[in-house]
């Protein structure tokens, strides 16, 4: 039994696992006749299976869970990045792990980030992560991933021992 | 001088122009161990230029404008769908027009929909629309479009006569 303490989601801390998606605060309005600021290619979108594999923009409603939370499994999408873009949410959990040299989760490197309204994330292709966990309230989100319906869409690994996420 | 009254955004009313993106309310939780409901392929994502044209997930901050609003121009993306997914917003305007047989905006068919939190939209490929207009408060949104930096990314047409959008 191991306890993982939550940490705040920042772009720097999350960089090994993907990108934090946030609208730009700074800079001159550079589009729409001076009414908007745009940051292009904010997510490293990846699809290694070519045009036979279509992008899937799915809409998800996720029911809230409570901390402390016992983790269940990690999953990864070996051929696709995966973006989560919340339209409505309170806080949500982003649990990730680095990969070992043989491509399995490095359990010692597990991290539990807490994100919230105004923040999305994009998992880099092949990044091990826990299924989405809404906290406090139901979350409504868009999800962007390239899928073709085969087993290569998603790989899952059960946790080898009990890990519980607790508030920092 | 012509006045366009706003109307509420519904999937049925918007269907000729694209898809309304909303998390599913109904149904059994079908993913993430019973904690989430997922509606796959909620948007008709289109890229007619193949793999030389990459998807661009951009993050945008849009400053609010007021009604009544004088429309400036319409634009379309002849080779790509375009999705707008707000992470934070109050109300926002979705102004669209059908196309004539020769591909120009059918000005007589202009519509002005009002959307809000929890609702995204995906413009069908080639749909004439006004640049994004946030109302009431700044909006933070993700934008998904396929672009390659050429003139085919976006076409613009000025309005031939003055049209003002007013509250219904």
């Amino acid at each position: 039994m191991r306890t993982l303490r939550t940490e705040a989601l920042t772009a720097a801390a999350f960089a090994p696992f993907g990108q934090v998606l946030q609208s730009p605060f700074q800079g001159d309005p550079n589009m729409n006749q001076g009414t908007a600021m745009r940051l292009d290619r904010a997510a490293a979108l990846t699809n290694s299976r070519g045009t036979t594999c279509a992008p899937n923009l799915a809409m998800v409603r996720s029911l809230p869970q409570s901390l402390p939370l016992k983790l269940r499994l990690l999953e990864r999408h070996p051929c696709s990045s995966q973006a989560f873009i919340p339209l409505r949410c309170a806080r949500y959990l982003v649990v990730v792990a680095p990969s070992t040299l043989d491509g399995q989760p490095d359990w010692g490197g597990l991290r539990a980030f807490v994100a919230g309204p105004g923040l999305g994330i994009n998992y880099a292709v092949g990044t091990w992560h826990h299924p989405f966990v809404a906290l406090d309230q139901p979350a409504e989100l868009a999800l962007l991933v390239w899928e073709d319906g085969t087993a290569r869409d998603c790989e899952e690994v059960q946790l080898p021992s009990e890990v519980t996420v607790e508030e920092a």
Side-chain angles (χ1 to χ4, degrees), chain A:
Chain A
M1 164 87 184
R2 177 173 152 214
T3 297
L4 195 61
R5 298 280 172 182
T6 58
E7 53 188 308
L9 181 71
T10 66
F14 190 66
F17 309 104
Q19 299 84 44
V20 174
L21 306 177
Q22 187 169 25
S23 297
F25 275 96
Q26 306 274 333
D28 290 329
N30 58 357
M31 67 181 284
N32 291 1
Q33 292 73 46
T35 66
M37 289 152 280
R38 172 171 166 166
L39 174 65
D40 279 312
R41 305 190 190 278
L45 302 178
T46 305
N47 162 39
S48 67
R49 290 180 284 183
T51 53
T52 58
C53 187
N56 181 4
L57 185 69
M59 298 302 296
V60 175
R61 178 177 308 272
S62 183
L63 306 179
Q65 301 177 62
S66 300
L67 296 179
L69 178 80
K70 186 182 163 190
L71 297 180
R72 298 181 298 260
L73 55 84
L74 297 187
E75 63 182 38
R76 69 169 180 176
H77 313 292
C79 306
S80 177
S81 55
Q82 187 181 38
F84 290 81
I85 305 165
L87 288 83
R88 288 196 223 244
C89 70
R91 298 182 305 157
Y92 66 94
L93 263 192
V94 178
V95 177
V96 287
S99 294
T100 61
L101 286 177
D102 64 354
Q104 292 306 295
D106 175 358
W107 300 108
L110 269 176
R111 307 275 290 272
F113 297 101
V114 174
L119 294 177
I121 53 157
N122 182 59
Y123 290 121
V125 56
T127 299
W128 288 107
H129 61 277
H130 192 270
F132 186 89
V133 176
L135 299 173
D136 312 318
Q137 294 177 22
E140 299 174 31
L141 50 140
L143 186 162
L144 177 64
V145 64
W146 275 254
E147 292 177 334
D148 66 3
T150 67
R152 293 289 281 164
D153 283 346
C154 188
E155 296 173 357
E156 289 185 359
V157 173
Q158 302 296 315
L159 267 74
S161 60
E162 190 171 320
V163 179
T164 300
V165 178
E166 292 193 0
E167 296 274 8

